[in-house]
Amino acid sequence: MAKSKVNFDPRLARRKMIGGVFYFVFLCAVMVGILSLLVLLTRILMEGLPWLSLGFLTNYPSRHPEIAGIRSAMMGTIWVMALTALFTVPVGVGAAIYLEEYAPKNRLTQLIEINISNLAGVPSIVYGLLGWALFVQIMSMGRVVLAGALTLSLLVLPIVILASREAIRAVPNEYRLGAFALGADQWQVIKGAVLPSAIPGILTGTILALSRAIGEAAPVIAISALVYLTFVPADPFDQFTVMPIQIFNWVGRPQDDFQSLAAAGIIVLLAILLTMNALAVILRNRYQTRSED
Amino acid sequence: MNDDAPIFEVSSLSLYYDDFRALKDIDMEIRRYAITALIGPSGCGKSTLLRCFNRMNDLIPTARIEGRILFEGSDLYHPDVDATEIRSRIGMVFQRPNPFPKSIYDNVAFGLKINGYRGDIDEAIERSLRQAALWDEVKDRLKDSALELSGGQQQRLCIARALAVEPEVILMDEPASALDPIATLAIEELVRELSESYTIVIVTHNMQQAARVSHETAFLMAGEDRSGYLVEHGATSQIFTTPKSERTEAYITGRFS
Amino acid sequence: METTARGAATVRGDRAATGRFRRRRGASLESRVIWWVFFLCAMLSVLTTVAIVFSLLSQALSFFREVGVWEFISGTRWTPILKPRSYGVLPLVNGTLLVAFLAAIVALPVGLATAIFLAEYAPDKVRRIIKPALEVLAGVPTVVYGYFALTFVTPQLQRVFPDMIVFNALSAGIVMGIMIIPMVSSLSEDAMISVPRSLRQAAYALGATKLETSVKVVVPAALSGIVASFILAISRAIGETMLVTIAAGATPRMTANPLDSIQTMTAYIVQLALGEAAHGSLEYNTIFAVGLLLFVMTLCMNLLGYWVVRRWRQAY
């Protein structure tokens, strides 16, 4: 079948070879990401696992690495995250409801939408500066849990809004029309038909947003500074530290033992992150299978 | 090569997507330098059959074929045959105009460049655009984006793009179905002109179109198992006036669609 | 994807119309209150932006009352704490851009190649393994990357460059590059997946190989999304804080040498936030001036990214 075309010199063998070479190149590029992840995880597990013990979770930080622990930072993280969730979920869902269900198509709505997507791209340290100026200084809260939580709330709010909007948008329009047809007003429609079916999606998105906030050190560091806390915050007006800052603190020390403590802290942090992500995935899957029934 | 010999010889061709049999035992020959129309109700496998001729179905991982297609006397699906090379010899025009989001010039130049055209590329582009009856409309704006052309112009550009690589056969998959009546007529006229130097296989669901443009017509239908089979194949005049099969007659007289 | 968005917009428009209709007929007090609550929630995001601009600007202004804007923007010495004091921000900008540049060298080619592999080559089974792995890579906290750069990558690099000091731009840049690979790859992949199948078929039908189809047809058609992914990833690298604070050093200097210790704008902010600078002092205000510059730089890049997507989007 080799009836070659006189006007063309396709050099197919060569092109196929180049194709093969590039396939290999693309594959290598993928492996850069995957292998980096594997090396990173292996490295952290090897360094940190020997230092991981019950004592590490229950002890306060100390100058002596062998008895140092992450208790105050862990409790600080839990405090901050709980408050952040408390602030962002209602506001984020409210904003999403406004944009999806009420907002007219006008310039103000457009401004809000552009603004939200831009906020998602603002560096997290800038939120730290905002929180420091606004909550710590102007409102004179001091370097307390509440100031940290409010700062992180502003940081994750755009993500929660985007996730909630997606969840609300995924609710079939027939649900709304059905409820309207029964004579419900807009709020009743939202309350009775839209929100119940959007909740799993909202929850999933919120958990993922919080799992981003939990690893953030930059915005909190401007608020809490590098305190050496040997107590657990008792209320929102106590001083605090969070896990990524404790890890940062340990990484910055020259002694090898503290570096290993940092690795141990990272394992705990990653374990919490993994748990949250798994929870989000389970929620999503459960919801999906149920809606298929 | 003997001009009387068929360019394609299809024998006992079946095509499967996983377990689903989309085409069943097709036997037919495609005449050289003629326009063969593939007609039939939707879902009868006429587009699938068309895509067997340039091995486009190879791109679908679940697709596999049984049987044989001879192209110029040799097995199209022989392991030594390179589908990429085949496709540069058998051009294709699609249902919707699909110009690349590049300039008009670059659209036509694409096939020339990748296939290593030896001659003057500018000349080849002009020749292809003239053949596709588009040159006069675009000669002053070759650098403009192809997406600025009208639908009919875009489809003629796609034909020019296929012609540029000097194929022996052009496969057309309902090339006018997305166009308005006037653009459709322009395409039909173009197809007739091209048939003087190319073998053309055209899929259409428009029977008037098949009757107007084609020399031969093949009628396909889907059986009860939803797999397509060839009902009848012959000269277009014969198929439309004295069909051998009652099913063909029923279809062309519009008793079912 | 485009169609879905447009569909949703129309549906939303209809619903909004319903809402307006009801209000005009004299909505109840309750539904007015509810409307206001939701509206204020949405406006809070606008307020956040206003608050960011206000807090940065007000403190930065008191800084610029004492230090000229030109001196700040064009000065090549940054010694705000040590005497003789000098407030030229360029060394910090230099450090930031150097690390971002190194990160881009790693992340743009690798991320784009990954995207091409995922969008054009990988069978479903492989994609289902790689994509979650890349998501994990994107979800790892940045302190962890800092730890990785300082305790693993730097010692490896020191084998190649024995004279290199512990804190350096190279290590931070490489790890930053790894960190933003998923951002480049996922946004670019989205752009490539939304290129219609018919364009790929057209290329194959002309006798193009898979590589030619991917590189000469799909990538150019997805170019706006790919460029946007580059811009947004670089913007992310400019704003990234903990990684560079941990691994790149605290030495503001004008240099193009990746082996040098440098300081980025973000790392400077952290350094000063950790020290107890007196509220209202000039040092305290420097971080807001630097923060303002950082905010403006990333904002410009993000706006550029969105503009590229909108301006170049092909209407298929």
Side-chain angles (χ1 to χ4, degrees):
Chain A
M1 123 146 18
K3 180 201 166 193
S4 65
K5 300 204 254 178
V6 282
N7 293 333
F8 289 87
D9 178 19
R11 297 211 269 175
L12 210 58
R14 184 164 164 270
R15 284 159 61 202
K16 293 263 160 182
M17 196 202 58
I18 295 174
V21 169
F22 270 85
Y23 177 82
F24 184 70
V25 169
F26 296 151
L27 196 64
C28 287
V30 175
M31 293 324 287
V32 170
I34 305 296
L35 285 181
S36 302
L37 181 64
L38 287 180
V39 171
L40 182 138
L41 293 180
T42 318
R43 165 86 194 168
I44 286 165
L45 287 176
M46 275 169 51
E47 283 290 308
L49 271 185
W51 287 78
L52 210 55
S53 63
L54 197 60
F56 181 72
L57 298 178
T58 55
N59 287 354
Y60 291 106
S62 159
R63 280 173 212 293
H64 308 287
E66 56 280 5
I67 58 162
I70 200 164
R71 178 173 186 178
S72 49
M74 213 160 66
M75 296 311 286
T77 290
I78 292 172
W79 260 109
V80 172
M81 280 306 121
L83 288 177
T84 303
L86 201 66
F87 299 143
T88 42
V89 171
V91 177
V93 174
I97 289 175
Y98 176 77
L99 289 171
E100 286 297 317
E101 305 286 330
Y102 286 96
K105 278 198 122 175
N106 61 18
R107 296 216 149 203
L108 181 64
T109 308
Q110 216 181 350
L111 174 80
I112 297 174
E113 301 207 353
I114 293 174
N115 181 64
I116 289 172
S117 49
N118 267 325
L119 274 182
V122 172
S124 57
I125 185 75
V126 171
Y127 284 94
L129 290 181
L130 168 67
W132 192 15
L134 187 63
F135 304 127
V136 178
Q137 301 293 352
I138 296 175
M139 296 189 182
S140 18
M141 285 182 194
R143 300 174 174 281
V144 297
V145 172
L146 183 63
L150 285 170
T151 306
L152 280 182
S153 299
L154 294 181
L155 175 76
V156 295
L157 194 58
I159 314 174
V160 175
I161 294 176
L162 291 174
S164 305
R165 288 188 69 174
E166 231 154 77
I168 291 172
R169 205 177 298 159
V171 176
N173 213 24
E174 291 78 49
Y175 289 24
R176 297 181 182 88
L177 299 178
F180 274 124
L182 293 172
D185 69 20
Q186 181 123 21
W187 168 233
Q188 288 167 325
V189 169
I190 294 167
K191 199 169 52 175
V194 177
L195 277 186
S197 30
I199 277 177
I202 292 173
L203 270 180
T204 310
T206 307
I207 293 174
L208 292 177
L210 288 180
S211 80
R212 183 185 153 194
I214 223 172
E216 280 284 359
V220 190
I221 215 164
I223 310 284
S224 79
L226 270 193
V227 284
Y228 217 65
L229 280 194
T230 49
F231 63 87
V232 168
D235 61 57
F237 298 97
D238 260 344
Q239 277 195 294
F240 73 107
T241 188
V242 291
M243 293 174 62
I245 293 185
Q246 184 63 61
I247 293 165
F248 170 67
N249 191 344
W250 281 329
V251 173
R253 286 159 182 268
Q255 302 95 321
D256 282 350
D257 283 354
F258 280 108
Q259 309 263 322
S260 304
L261 274 181
I266 289 171
I267 295 175
V268 178
L269 182 63
L270 289 181
I272 294 177
L273 276 176
L274 211 64
T275 314
M276 290 177 75
N277 279 286
L279 197 66
V281 170
I282 290 169
L283 252 169
R284 189 166 54 195
N285 290 348
R286 196 183 215 181
Y287 164 66
Q288 276 171 348
T289 42
R290 211 187 301 148
S291 69
E292 274 163 19
D293 286 344
Chain B
M1 194 72 55
N2 180 359
D3 269 9
D4 294 337
I7 194 160
F8 286 111
E9 293 161 73
V10 181
S11 46
S12 325
L13 178 76
S14 290
L15 185 134
Y16 297 83
Y17 297 118
D18 280 330
D19 295 335
F20 170 64
R21 195 181 200 182
L23 293 174
K24 187 166 66 180
D25 289 332
I26 310 267
D27 288 285
M28 71 187 294
E29 292 177 351
I30 303 286
R31 194 151 66 83
R32 196 181 300 272
Y33 299 127
I35 303 174
T36 303
L38 305 179
I39 63 168
S42 43
C44 71
K46 52 193 189 297
S47 286
T48 306
L49 175 59
L50 188 76
R51 282 155 188 259
C52 288
F53 290 126
N54 66 344
R55 293 187 53 174
M56 282 300 268
N57 289 322
D58 287 19
L59 300 173
I60 302 166
T62 58
R64 68 193 160 81
I65 71 151
E66 282 171 6
R68 215 163 56 151
I69 300 181
L70 298 183
F71 171 52
E72 302 278 23
S74 46
D75 185 358
L76 192 63
Y77 283 82
H78 190 278
D80 292 345
V81 172
D82 191 325
T84 306
E85 198 245 329
I86 285 300
R87 294 190 196 116
S88 73
R89 295 173 59 189
I90 304 173
M92 188 166 211
V93 176
F94 296 82
Q95 197 167 354
R96 296 188 151 274
N98 54 356
F100 301 127
K102 301 170 184 263
S103 69
I104 295 167
Y105 182 96
D106 287 338
N107 261 276
V108 187
F110 179 84
L112 294 166
K113 284 180 182 160
I114 58 167
N115 288 302
Y117 186 64
R118 292 178 207 264
D120 185 305
I121 288 207
D122 289 359
E123 276 172 24
I125 287 172
E126 179 175 343
R127 190 170 57 241
S128 310
L129 286 169
R130 279 189 194 281
Q131 274 184 299
L134 191 61
W135 175 251
D136 291 334
E137 292 161 58
V138 301
K139 64 180 178 217
D140 299 324
R141 48 174 180 142
L142 291 176
K143 295 290 169 197
D144 287 3
S145 167
L147 299 178
E148 286 165 23
L149 298 173
S150 72
Q153 288 173 323
Q154 287 189 4
Q155 194 62 304
R156 275 178 283 151
L157 177 65
C158 293
I159 293 174
R161 182 174 68 181
L163 294 175
V165 292
E166 301 180 8
E168 293 144 62
V169 183
I170 302 173
L171 308 174
M172 296 184 163
D173 190 355
E174 305 194 28
S177 68
L179 304 179
D180 62 64
I182 293 173
T184 301
L185 282 179
I187 297 283
E188 285 179 10
E189 203 171 300
L190 176 59
V191 170
R192 287 209 75 103
E193 271 170 35
L194 292 174
S195 72
E196 285 167 21
S197 26
Y198 300 90
T199 305
I200 293 174
V201 185
I202 182 169
V203 164
T204 177
H205 60 231
N206 177 336
M207 277 173 295
Q208 286 78 18
Q209 189 170 64
R212 278 195 301 264
V213 300
S214 70
H215 306 109
E216 297 202 1
T217 296
F219 173 56
L220 286 88
M221 266 183 76
E224 277 168 15
D225 54 355
R226 301 196 350 265
S227 58
Y229 64 100
L230 181 67
V231 179
E232 188 170 353
H233 177 198
T236 298
S237 52
Q238 175 256 312
I239 295 276
F240 279 87
T241 51
T242 53
K244 290 183 189 129
S245 160
E246 280 175 24
R247 285 163 296 181
T248 313
E249 189 178 0
Y251 180 71
I252 59 174
T253 54
R255 265 184 274 151
F256 68 91
S257 62
Chain C
M1 198 177 139
E2 175 76 336
T3 353
T4 333
R6 221 180 293 136
T10 10
V11 171
R12 236 180 303 146
D14 294 349
R15 257 183 273 142
T18 325
R20 275 202 300 279
F21 177 60
R22 298 190 69 85
R23 273 205 307 285
R24 224 178 291 141
R25 290 212 347 226
S28 65
L29 182 69
E30 190 202 354
S31 58
R32 267 164 200 268
V33 170
I34 287 167
W35 185 89
W36 272 101
V37 169
F38 290 145
F39 177 70
L40 288 178
C41 287
M43 284 306 287
L44 188 69
S45 69
V46 178
L47 275 180
T48 307
T49 307
V50 173
I52 288 176
V53 173
F54 177 77
S55 64
L56 292 178
L57 215 55
S58 65
Q59 316 256 7
L61 279 182
S62 35
F63 170 77
F64 287 124
R65 235 171 267 135
E66 294 180 54
V67 178
V69 175
W70 182 247
E71 182 191 341
F72 177 71
I73 295 288
S74 67
T76 54
R77 258 172 54 80
W78 181 258
T79 51
I81 306 163
L82 303 170
K83 284 176 184 164
R85 295 175 200 266
S86 177
Y87 300 96
V89 79
L90 285 183
L92 296 182
V93 175
N94 180 123
T96 298
L97 294 183
L98 179 59
V99 174
F101 174 74
L102 295 169
I105 289 180
V106 174
L108 303 192
V110 174
L112 179 58
T114 303
I116 295 175
F117 185 82
L118 288 176
E120 305 297 314
Y121 286 83
D124 260 0
K125 258 188 260 166
V126 178
R127 208 195 327 257
R128 270 201 289 271
I129 299 169
I130 295 172
K131 290 204 67 164
L134 288 175
E135 274 170 38
V136 173
L137 200 62
V140 171
T142 59
V143 268
V144 179
Y145 282 108
Y147 167 87
F148 185 59
L150 185 67
T151 67
F152 181 76
V153 176
T154 298
Q156 303 302 318
L157 288 172
Q158 278 173 325
R159 289 198 209 162
V160 187
F161 309 105
D163 298 335
M164 191 179 72
I165 57 167
V166 172
F167 301 102
N168 62 82
L170 183 60
S171 173
I174 291 173
V175 176
M176 177 102 77
I178 293 169
M179 189 181 92
I180 59 176
I181 287 172
M183 201 167 168
V184 176
S185 69
S186 76
L187 290 175
S188 296
E189 189 203 345
D190 287 348
M192 289 167 68
I193 282 177
S194 64
V195 171
R197 268 240 312 277
S198 66
L199 290 189
R200 294 182 179 85
Q201 293 187 337
Y204 284 126
L206 292 167
T209 63
K210 187 156 195 130
L211 179 70
E212 287 157 352
T213 306
S214 306
V215 173
K216 294 182 179 167
V217 173
V218 179
V219 168
L223 201 62
S224 65
I226 292 170
V227 170
S229 83
F230 287 0
I231 294 173
L232 295 179
I234 293 172
S235 165
R236 170 87 197 277
I238 288 175
E240 170 44 36
T241 307
M242 297 319 288
L243 167 53
V244 284
T245 306
I246 292 172
T251 327
R253 66 155 63 104
M254 302 296 290
T255 178
N257 181 359
L259 304 183
D260 273 343
S261 176
I262 50 103
Q263 186 169 42
T264 65
M265 294 154 63
T266 51
Y268 171 74
I269 296 174
V270 170
Q271 188 195 10
L272 230 76
L274 291 180
E276 285 288 332
H279 176 52
S281 68
L282 191 59
E283 302 96 88
Y284 173 87
N285 287 338
T286 54
I287 64 173
F288 288 90
V290 174
L292 181 65
L293 183 62
L294 178 68
F295 176 73
V296 170
M297 281 170 70
T298 51
L299 183 71
C300 288
M301 296 206 63
N302 292 341
L303 290 177
L304 182 68
Y306 297 121
W307 180 81
V308 164
V309 169
R310 289 179 48 165
R311 179 69 207 276
W312 286 0
R313 171 167 291 156
Q314 301 291 351
Y316 296 116

